Amino acid sequence: MGIPDIRQLITLEFEVYGHVQGLNLTKDTRDRCTKAGITGWVKNSKRGTIVGKMQGPKVEVDKMIEWLSSEGSPGCQIERCELRNQSNLNRLDYKDFAIRF
């Protein structure tokens, strides 16, 4: 098994389904990612989901995915969180975590 490399950087795209818009999920995602050292972006989609991209330490990104998959902001009714295009990174492509419109 070995010791996990806390410096391992990953990137992935996510989409959260359910009753998730209008409940501060984009803002809470940005705030939590910023605090965890994760960069990228998040936005409301026209399909009624929340979509985004995260880049950062694998350990922290995994924690965010768990939060987006099961908990989310108060009032959210999350059905599922789908992940796409996950891969390792050598350096981050973003300077911060932003809400896009």
Side-chain angles (χ1 to χ4, degrees):
M1 293 188 76
I3 299 170
D5 184 355
I6 59 170
R7 296 163 299 176
Q8 180 186 358
L9 297 175
I10 66 168
T11 182
L12 59 79
E13 297 169 5
F14 64 91
E15 186 164 8
V16 184
Y17 294 81
H19 181 60
V20 294
Q21 290 190 0
L23 299 163
N24 292 319
L25 186 58
T26 53
K27 179 185 174 300
D28 290 346
T29 299
R30 180 202 58 204
D31 294 349
R32 285 173 173 261
C33 284
T34 299
K35 187 175 179 182
I38 297 169
T39 63
W41 56 269
V42 64
K43 70 177 185 176
N44 290 326
S45 77
K46 293 179 181 176
R47 296 183 305 278
T49 62
I50 302 288
V51 296
K53 185 169 190 171
M54 286 190 269
Q55 296 185 340
K58 182 178 183 337
V59 181
E60 297 300 329
V61 172
D62 287 346
K63 289 177 191 174
M64 274 305 300
I65 292 304
E66 178 62 29
W67 182 78
L68 284 169
S69 298
S70 60
E71 187 178 344
S73 300
C76 285
Q77 296 172 348
I78 296 173
E79 292 174 10
R80 69 186 186 281
C81 179
E82 292 184 357
L83 308 178
R84 294 187 265 297
N85 301 322
Q86 183 171 341
S87 62
N88 293 325
L89 278 180
N90 291 324
R91 68 177 193 282
L92 302 174
D93 296 326
Y94 302 95
K95 293 179 183 174
D96 57 13
F97 199 94
I99 296 173
R100 289 188 177 175
F101 298 94

